[in-house]
Amino acid sequence: MLRGATRIIDWPMEGLQRLIGERRMPYVFLLPNLAFFGVFVFVPISINFLYSVTGGPALFPAERPFVGAGQYAYLFDCGSFVDPSSCREDHFWRGVSNTLRFTAFQVVAMVLLSLLTAIVLNMKIRGRGFFRAVYFFPVLLSPVVVALIWKWILQRDGLLNAGITGLGGDKILFLSEPGWAMFWIIFVSVWAHMGFYTLILLAGLQAIPADIYEAAEMDATPRWRVFWRLTLPLLWPNLIVVIVLALIRAVQTFDEVFVLTGGGPGTSTLMVVQYIYETAFSNQVQNFGLAAAASVVLGIVLFALTLAQLAFSQRKSS
Amino acid sequence: MKGTKMLLGCALLAASLVVSNAQAQTTLRMTWYSDGNEGEVMSDLLRRFEEQNKDIKVVLDQVPFKAINENLPVQLAAGQGPDLARVADLGGVARYMLDLRPLLKDPAYFETNFGPFLEWMRLPGDKTSIPGFMTQLTLTGPLVNKTLFEQANIAMPGPKATWEEWAKAAKDVATKVQAPFPVAIDRSGHRFFSLAITQGAKVFDDKGEPAVVDDGFKRGAQLVYDWHKNGVMSKELWGSVAGTAYRGANDEFKNAQVVMYVSGSWQIGQFDKTIGNGFDWVAVPTPCGPANCSPMPGGAALVAIKTTQHPKEVARLVEYLASEKVVGEFYDRSLFVPGHLGLAKQGLTYKDASQQGKAALKVFSEGVSTLSPVANKLQGYVHNRVIFNAVISRLGQAIAGEASLDEAYKRITADIEQQIAERTKK
């Protein structure tokens, strides 16, 4: 019965193979995915690039005047790239600067805390299953829900200030002071996503053969040396995945920060993606061309990060 | 068998009649946002319209105000808009509006009663089109928590008091009763200009081109900046979000945390309903500056959209809704200042409003007579939102400590030039 059914599929495939040759057959199997990917990824990327070389308020590309690299020139018109206020489009560069700061602190905190948590959760401790669930639970929440929960905690009359005033302290405007606002968006982001990265590292830890540790124990190797010489190298492929995924996600950060601080106070938590969104849709003049140019720049950065990850992991495995 | 066939035949005939009737009905889509209960009132009026016009069905798509400002313009640019929409950025979407004049039975009625406001819906050079009517006229102005003044035993400043006098009084009250917000002004360029124009801001040069940063403007900006420094205003509104984001203090006012809330007449309906007997609140005339005591006018209009497939039906609906009796009921039940000159002259009873709601509406309605020509001109300017957005974005940065006021002024001028150039690029 099953053989009969597979023959039904085999027959046209065999015919096709005879027609186009064996070497071309893999492309036939790739075609559906490639078509899907093309329509929903390559075509939008191409349209986005097209917008980035046009100007004006019109929506349809055919109605938009060609401006060449004008949008890119406007974006990069800076006295000094380390001083956003010297740039013509200072909001973009403030977004870049904030995103870099956010990424640096968030990724380091995320990786270290995820690693620590994964190591603890890999030990034979009481209630291990419960703690694994607890750490993973925030991952299941929508970013908007996460941001709203923390907004209620952090606002003037929120839970945290209630605790502070209960202890005799003064209320702190956590979301209206630039330093505090940046701290809290990093904290909330780590809290919300740590469970996912912990899970990846936990899977990596569990894949390390136990006999290696037994051999180390027999040799009376100190714990820190076991971690440094055995655990870390064997966990390296998973760590690379975690670092790159965390990096890409940090650069793309938008929803949580947008709901929690709206990019403020001032522009102290304005991220690049929020800048793109506001330039294209939220501002009165919906500047699709400039937003598209900024998103092309962001796309190139993300592409470079992905290539770096590939190169790094290949070099390590070789 | 014969009877069954007969029955089947009748059923088919009935079904085909129902289908043909349904096909004859035109469906109009109206995109709508609400500040208070006006969505419910409009639903009521539409139900009555449908009863009188069986061939038209109106679907009311209720969306947040943000969607009207951000999503609707993209929809309209793509030619995918509704048949009608309630919009606040009249100049910004004017190019997508349909001129109903040739389709209206009595265009003179619209000219007579909505004339000055029709100009806000027209593109430069257009002197005749009638795209719709005002669903409300709004005026900016302060709403004051009277109970907090009484608790602090401090007298409220009089009708001609200056901004500085109000700020001092509100700060004193807030200190005494420990209210966190002595003065709250919506994070909105429109609201800022209600202060700046009283300080003498002219906004335009002699040729009618934007020349926003002048001495009057600077006086207004300096006041807002100083108030944030000396605690009259909290950073939570102007300093807490980035860019052009709007931020109001509705919840804070309703929770009696604000002594004086500079917002506008559109808040009356919801405050009347939600504050109830919680505390006494009053609307007061716009505080005065060296130039005048003018509020900023504004409002929302229900307009026909150019891409509609049913212009005649849209015109019939607009005629019905804009008719004196219907629009009068709409303003009355929604507690709105009428954007209809005839009704404004007659006055409305606002029978559903509380005494303080009625009093507040009276104060705002009287504000119409104190409107400065600059305020009217700014409201009618097609790129006014470009000006409003540049101001809140850059002033917000100065308040947050990212830039000095002088840097903010330069950026405001540059932003306005660049955005108007981009908007008019062909």
Side-chain angles (χ1 to χ4, degrees):
Chain A
M1 179 77 175
L2 191 66
R3 185 177 287 179
T6 52
R7 286 294 302 163
I8 296 171
I9 305 167
D10 282 350
W11 180 75
M13 286 298 163
E14 282 167 7
L16 192 66
Q17 190 170 321
R18 272 196 298 275
L19 195 72
I20 63 170
E22 199 177 328
R23 287 169 65 97
R24 292 192 183 120
M25 273 309 278
Y27 296 105
V28 173
F29 295 107
L30 283 175
L31 198 65
N33 199 20
L34 209 64
F36 188 83
F37 203 67
V39 169
F40 292 104
V41 177
F42 288 129
V43 172
I45 286 175
S46 309
I47 294 173
N48 185 67
F49 181 74
L50 189 65
Y51 270 89
S52 76
V53 291
T54 60
L59 183 67
F60 295 111
E63 297 165 11
R64 299 173 59 79
F66 178 74
V67 295
Q71 304 286 16
Y72 295 94
Y74 183 74
L75 272 185
F76 285 89
D77 186 358
C78 277
S80 159
F81 288 113
V82 290
D83 176 17
S85 55
S86 72
C87 300
R88 251 181 110 186
E89 188 56 8
D90 63 323
H91 280 171
F92 173 73
W93 291 100
R94 284 181 196 281
V96 170
S97 159
N98 293 336
T99 306
L100 285 176
R101 266 193 310 151
F102 174 82
T103 303
F105 287 108
Q106 193 252 26
V107 172
V108 170
M110 182 81 85
V111 173
L112 290 179
L113 286 171
S114 301
L115 182 62
L116 189 70
T117 314
I119 289 168
V120 173
L121 292 179
N122 196 38
M123 291 172 177
K124 284 173 187 154
I125 52 168
R126 269 176 95 175
R128 190 167 64 167
F130 169 76
F131 284 114
R132 284 180 183 177
V134 163
Y135 278 100
F136 191 70
F137 182 70
V139 178
L140 303 175
L141 296 176
S142 143
V144 174
V145 173
V146 167
L148 285 176
I149 290 170
W150 280 98
K151 200 169 186 172
W152 289 329
I153 294 171
L154 298 171
Q155 65 194 6
R156 178 194 281 272
D157 296 316
L159 208 60
L160 193 54
N161 269 325
I164 291 170
T165 49
L167 293 169
D170 289 331
K171 284 181 180 176
I172 301 170
L173 300 181
F174 291 112
L175 302 176
S176 300
E177 298 296 336
W180 276 117
M182 183 55 97
F183 168 79
W184 282 111
I185 62 168
I186 292 169
F187 180 90
V188 170
S189 178
V190 171
W191 178 85
H193 305 291
M194 206 181 84
F196 175 68
Y197 301 110
T198 301
L199 205 67
I200 296 174
L201 294 176
L202 193 58
L205 286 172
Q206 287 177 348
I208 298 173
D211 51 359
I212 297 177
Y213 289 115
E214 282 165 14
E217 206 177 321
M218 284 168 75
D219 291 344
T221 316
R223 279 191 159 200
W224 65 268
R225 201 175 164 82
V226 171
F227 175 75
W228 201 249
R229 293 288 184 179
L230 291 176
T231 308
L232 213 54
L234 290 168
L235 198 59
W236 191 247
N238 296 61
L239 260 176
I240 287 290
V241 170
V242 164
I243 290 167
V244 173
L245 287 181
L247 264 176
I248 292 173
R249 200 185 157 88
V251 174
Q252 290 175 325
T253 289
F254 170 61
D255 32 22
E256 279 153 11
V257 179
F258 186 66
V259 176
L260 196 58
T261 65
T267 54
S268 59
T269 58
L270 176 81
M271 301 290 154
V272 176
V273 179
Q274 187 183 337
Y275 165 83
I276 293 169
Y277 161 71
E278 288 186 344
T279 305
F281 302 110
S282 173
N283 286 351
Q284 178 54 27
V285 176
Q286 298 182 325
N287 199 336
F288 302 122
L290 194 62
S295 67
V296 168
V297 174
L298 179 65
I300 291 169
V301 171
L302 290 174
F303 188 63
L305 278 176
T306 313
L307 285 182
Q309 179 240 333
L310 280 173
F312 207 59
S313 53
Q314 272 174 3
R315 202 171 62 185
K316 206 71 197 170
S317 62
S318 66
Chain B
M1 188 65 188
K2 205 173 179 181
T4 313
K5 278 184 179 172
M6 188 88 126
L7 266 175
L8 194 67
C10 288
L12 278 171
L13 186 70
S16 66
L17 279 173
V18 168
V19 169
S20 68
N21 189 34
Q23 279 171 346
Q25 199 177 45
T26 301
T27 301
L28 300 179
R29 296 204 83 97
M30 184 193 287
T31 302
W32 185 269
Y33 77 90
S34 295
D35 287 317
N37 69 333
E38 65 267 36
E40 291 165 40
V41 179
M42 181 50 73
S43 295
D44 240 19
L45 299 177
L46 291 177
R47 204 173 52 240
R48 264 186 258 161
F49 173 77
E50 286 173 345
E51 278 165 14
Q52 293 166 28
N53 298 270
K54 300 280 186 200
D55 58 327
I56 301 176
K57 180 179 164 48
V58 188
V59 179
L60 190 69
D61 296 315
Q62 300 219 45
V63 299
F65 182 62
K66 198 173 162 69
I68 292 284
N69 278 339
E70 293 180 13
N71 304 359
L72 184 68
V74 180
Q75 267 183 287
L76 296 175
Q80 300 291 319
D83 299 286
L84 303 104
R86 185 184 191 217
V87 292
D89 177 19
L90 305 178
V93 293
R95 63 200 152 127
Y96 305 115
M97 294 179 190
L98 173 71
D99 179 13
L100 292 171
R101 181 182 281 274
L103 303 163
L104 295 170
K105 283 181 196 148
D106 185 9
Y109 167 80
F110 282 79
E111 286 288 3
T112 312
N113 292 298
F114 303 105
F117 315 120
L118 289 175
E119 286 171 22
W120 298 351
M121 306 174 207
R122 292 171 181 158
L123 287 169
D126 174 7
K127 302 273 180 219
T128 59
S129 70
I130 303 175
F133 68 97
M134 296 297 284
T135 53
Q136 71 181 127
L137 176 68
T138 61
L139 286 116
T140 57
L143 299 152
V144 179
N145 186 324
K146 195 177 160 199
T147 301
L148 292 182
F149 269 90
E150 286 164 359
Q151 283 174 354
N153 206 16
I154 291 172
M156 273 171 51
K160 290 281 175 190
T162 62
W163 284 98
E164 289 88 340
E165 285 165 347
W166 268 107
K168 188 186 174 308
K171 181 81 168 64
D172 291 346
V173 170
T175 309
K176 247 184 165 172
V177 300
Q178 297 201 321
F181 300 90
V183 174
I185 301 178
D186 286 335
R187 191 180 192 270
S188 144
H190 184 262
R191 248 64 90 223
F192 169 77
F193 273 98
S194 71
L195 161 65
I197 289 170
T198 63
Q199 302 299 313
K202 298 263 186 294
V203 190
F204 301 98
D205 62 18
D206 296 340
K207 292 175 199 157
E209 295 299 321
V212 174
V213 180
D214 58 13
D215 289 344
F217 178 92
K218 285 181 182 174
R219 270 195 294 275
Q222 189 71 52
L223 278 177
V224 173
Y225 184 82
D226 291 345
W227 287 341
H228 279 93
K229 292 273 173 244
N230 60 26
V232 170
M233 285 177 77
S234 165
K235 273 187 180 177
E236 280 162 272
L237 262 70
W238 280 73
S240 70
V241 286
T244 61
Y246 168 83
R247 177 91 160 76
N250 302 40
D251 290 338
E252 289 83 355
F253 187 74
K254 281 186 259 185
N255 289 323
Q257 293 180 313
V258 184
V259 179
M260 176 165 128
Y261 178 28
V262 181
S263 189
S265 57
W266 59 96
Q267 305 278 20
I268 295 172
Q270 59 157 310
F271 286 164
D272 203 33
K273 203 172 171 182
T274 52
I275 295 172
N277 295 323
F279 57 85
D280 289 337
W281 57 275
V282 291
V284 296
T286 299
C288 299
N292 53 52
C293 317
S294 171
M296 260 302 283
L302 181 68
V303 297
I305 303 299
K306 222 180 243 177
T307 48
T308 179
Q309 300 296 307
H310 314 288
K312 284 181 188 161
E313 286 80 2
V314 168
R316 271 166 63 195
L317 176 60
V318 168
E319 266 175 338
Y320 172 81
L321 292 173
S323 62
E324 193 166 305
K325 194 175 163 215
V326 177
V327 80
E329 183 186 335
F330 176 79
Y331 296 141
D332 195 278
R333 288 174 60 192
S334 307
L335 308 190
F336 283 159
V337 176
H340 180 289
L341 298 180
L343 289 168
K345 207 170 177 184
Q346 289 168 33
L348 294 169
T349 54
Y350 300 114
K351 56 182 181 299
D352 296 334
S354 67
Q355 282 309 313
Q356 57 190 3
K358 282 180 188 173
L361 281 157
K362 188 168 179 284
V363 170
F364 280 111
S365 301
E366 284 166 0
V368 177
S369 61
T370 62
L371 280 172
S372 126
V374 178
N376 269 322
K377 191 173 177 186
L378 178 57
Q379 174 56 23
Y381 180 56
V382 72
H383 301 304
N384 61 11
R385 294 263 165 166
V386 171
I387 297 175
F388 295 155
N389 286 351
V391 170
I392 49 169
S393 169
R394 298 307 182 174
L395 205 49
Q397 278 184 270
I399 288 161
E402 280 177 11
S404 68
L405 271 179
D406 283 334
E407 284 163 349
Y409 297 149
K410 281 180 202 155
R411 289 282 183 185
I412 287 167
T413 307
D415 285 357
I416 292 169
E417 272 174 24
Q418 189 267 333
Q419 295 206 15
I420 291 178
E422 187 68 23
R423 200 178 206 193
T424 48
K425 200 177 270 175
K426 291 247 162 57

